Amino acid sequence: MNGSAKTKSCKAVIYDCDGVMFDSFDANLRFYQRIMEIMGRQPLDTADEEHMRVLHTYANREVLAYFFPEPAGFQAAVAAAASIDYLELVPFMIMEDGFRETLDSLSGRVELAVCTNRSTSMDMVLESFGLARYFGCVMTASKVANPKPHPEPLLKVLDHYGIAPSEALFVGDSEVDQLAARAAQVPFIAYKADHQAFARINNHRDILQLL
C-alpha cells in the first residue's frame, strides 16, 4: 500500500466492478467480440490499447456508440448486445485475490456498495459469485442518466446511505473512476493503478489499514 493516511469517519466503502472486484477483461472482450461477429465486423484488435481501454471502462451504450457511431448501426448493436446471455461469460471472470475475505472483515463495520458502468449484468454476476448479500446498494449505468466519469452514480450511493462524500471511500482502477470520485469529492483508492488518489493499494486487504 502506498501512503499511510487514514480516514477519520469512513461509513461506506464503494467498489467498482471490472478490474477491482474481478479480473473481467476476458469476459468483456468475449462479449464485444460476439457483438462484432453478429454485426459482421472484423474482430477487435487486442493490440489496440485505446479500443481495449474503452470496452473495459465505459458503460455499454457508450462503448457501442464508440464502435458504431451511426444511429442505425448503434441501434443494431444494442439489439445484438441484448441477445447475448452474459451468464455464459461469467466463468471467464476471476475474483480478485483477498476480495471476499476483505468483504467479510468490512461487513458490519461499514456499509458496502458497488458503483459500476455495467448495466444489466451486475446483479447476475454478484449472485453467481455469492456476493449479493454483502452489498446494500448496487449502482449501475442503467440506474443513472449519466454513468461514470460523471459523479451521478457515486452521489446516488451517498444519497442512499445519507452520508457525506468525506464519509466514503471509492475503490477503482481507471481514470474514469478517478474522475468520478474527484467530481463527487469522494476519497479515491486506486487499486493496482497509478492514478492520483487518497491511497493506492495492490491487495484488497490493504484497505483495512485505511479505516
Side-chain angles (χ1 to χ4, degrees), residues 113-165:
V114 177
C115 184
T116 176
N117 271 346
R118 283 182 174 268
S119 296
T120 58
S121 62
M122 192 66 238
D123 288 337
M124 176 203 313
V125 169
L126 292 177
E127 290 290 348
S128 295
F129 283 90
L131 297 177
R133 65 185 179 88
Y134 291 103
F135 298 102
C137 180
V138 179
M139 190 58 55
T140 68
S142 63
K143 298 178 181 179
V144 297
N146 306 288
K148 298 180 295 182
H150 196 280
E152 181 185 352
L154 281 174
L155 294 175
K156 282 200 168 187
V157 175
L158 299 179
D159 184 64
H160 175 85
Y161 290 117
I163 60 176

Side-chain angles (χ1 to χ4, degrees), residues 9-10 36-37 56 69 71 95 100 105 123 132 135 166 175 180 184 187 193 200 205-206 209:
S9 58
C10 181
M36 294 297 165
E37 181 183 353
H56 197 58
M95 191 185 304
R100 189 187 300 274
S105 296
D123 288 337
F135 298 102
S166 61
E175 183 182 19
R200 300 184 183 92
R205 298 180 187 89
D206 292 340
Q209 301 175 44

Side-chain angles (χ1 to χ4, degrees), residues 61-142:
R61 293 180 71 87
E62 293 179 324
V63 176
L64 296 178
Y66 176 84
F67 287 114
F68 302 93
E70 295 299 323
F74 171 74
Q75 292 301 328
V78 169
S83 73
I84 300 171
D85 183 358
Y86 202 89
L87 187 60
E88 296 177 359
L89 300 175
V90 169
F92 298 100
M93 299 178 68
I94 303 170
M95 191 185 304
E96 287 290 305
D97 180 56
F99 183 58
R100 189 187 300 274
E101 293 82 357
T102 301
L103 294 180
D104 284 331
S105 296
L106 292 174
S107 264
R109 183 175 176 184
V110 295
E111 302 289 355
L112 295 169
V114 177
C115 184
T116 176
N117 271 346
R118 283 182 174 268
S119 296
T120 58
S121 62
M122 192 66 238
D123 288 337
M124 176 203 313
V125 169
L126 292 177
E127 290 290 348
S128 295
F129 283 90
L131 297 177
R133 65 185 179 88
Y134 291 103
F135 298 102
C137 180
V138 179
M139 190 58 55
T140 68
S142 63

